[in-house]
Amino acid sequence: GLGLASFISLKIFLILVLYLFMNLLYSKWLKYVPVIDVMLIAIGFVLRILSGAIATNILLSPWIILCTFFGALFLGFGKRKSEINNLKSDSEKTRSILSFYEHNFLNQLLGLAAGITITSYTLYTIDQNTINHFQTTGLIYTIPFVVFGVCRFFQIIYTQSAGENPTKVFLTDRPILLNTLLWILAFGLIILF
């Protein structure tokens, strides 16, 4: 993969080297450091979208990068909360890092990450570069879909303790699936018309 990346772009190669180095550090030491463990996972998502943007020659808004980072933090902290809820007293034995995460602490981290995710998406929709790129000011009307998605995931974490596998939630929860389809439809219609 690194060899192939070096032929595509030096920037992509350097991102992959950073990603590999970061994952080695995570696997060996940093997955045992609270907050840093989830932050590294979130940075991994940012590195993926950066490499994709470079490969496709798309200029990314700083707001969408922040939205990705904080959205991934939100999902990661939600995963930690659900793991603690589902494993109950065995959580510390199963995964030692969970002993550093207390419910109220996670509640604060979830609220912080969720709020910044929504704020950064909102700023993305009204950013002049976004408006110029899509030739519309109408993307602001997609914000309710993002708010609903965040609130629905909160509901799933708190009422079902099902945030342990965010991918499964996003692929099986009907309200989230419908919301995602409506967001895509609204986004598409706004930029087309």
Side-chain angles (χ1 to χ4, degrees):
L2 288 173
L4 182 61
S6 67
F7 286 111
I8 297 171
S9 162
L10 176 61
K11 288 180 183 177
I12 292 175
F13 173 77
L14 293 174
I15 288 172
L16 286 179
V17 168
L18 176 61
Y19 186 78
L20 176 64
F21 180 68
M22 200 175 70
N23 276 287
L24 290 172
L25 287 175
Y26 175 86
S27 297
K28 189 70 175 164
W29 297 290
L30 297 178
K31 70 180 176 181
Y32 304 108
V33 181
V35 180
I36 295 293
D37 63 326
V38 178
M39 286 183 69
L40 285 176
I41 293 167
I43 291 168
F45 280 96
V46 170
L47 292 177
R48 288 182 203 130
I49 66 162
L50 286 175
S51 61
I54 292 166
T56 56
N57 204 22
I58 294 173
L59 181 63
L60 286 178
S61 161
W63 296 116
I64 207 67
I65 293 169
L66 288 174
C67 185
T68 301
F69 176 73
F70 285 102
L73 277 183
F74 174 63
L75 296 176
F77 291 133
K79 179 177 172 57
R80 292 290 182 262
K81 181 146 181 83
S82 293
E83 287 170 335
I84 290 171
N85 288 342
N86 292 335
L87 296 170
K88 302 203 182 350
S89 62
D90 292 335
S91 64
E92 294 175 18
K93 295 174 191 166
T94 306
R95 295 189 65 186
S96 62
I97 188 68
L98 296 178
S99 66
F100 295 101
Y101 287 108
E102 187 267 331
H103 285 286
N104 288 331
F105 178 56
L106 280 169
N107 292 342
Q108 294 295 319
L109 293 175
L110 281 164
L112 178 70
I116 297 174
T117 300
I118 292 168
T119 301
S120 56
Y121 182 80
T122 300
L123 292 169
Y124 165 73
T125 66
I126 62 172
D127 181 60
Q128 193 59 50
N129 291 329
T130 303
I131 292 168
N132 292 343
H133 178 76
F134 291 110
Q135 296 295 303
T136 182
T137 58
L139 291 179
I140 196 166
Y141 300 112
T142 64
I143 293 169
F145 298 107
V146 174
V147 172
F148 176 82
V150 168
C151 292
R152 175 65 182 165
F153 195 73
F154 254 125
Q155 181 185 22
I156 288 167
I157 292 167
Y158 284 93
T159 63
Q160 302 170 25
S161 292
E164 197 169 342
N165 187 342
T167 304
K168 183 179 178 185
V169 169
F170 284 104
L171 294 176
T172 60
D173 183 71
R174 287 186 181 147
I176 286 182
L177 283 170
L178 179 60
N179 183 62
T180 303
L181 291 174
L182 290 173
W183 175 80
I184 292 168
L185 179 65
F187 202 98
L189 290 173
I190 289 167
I191 62 174
L192 289 175
F193 301 107

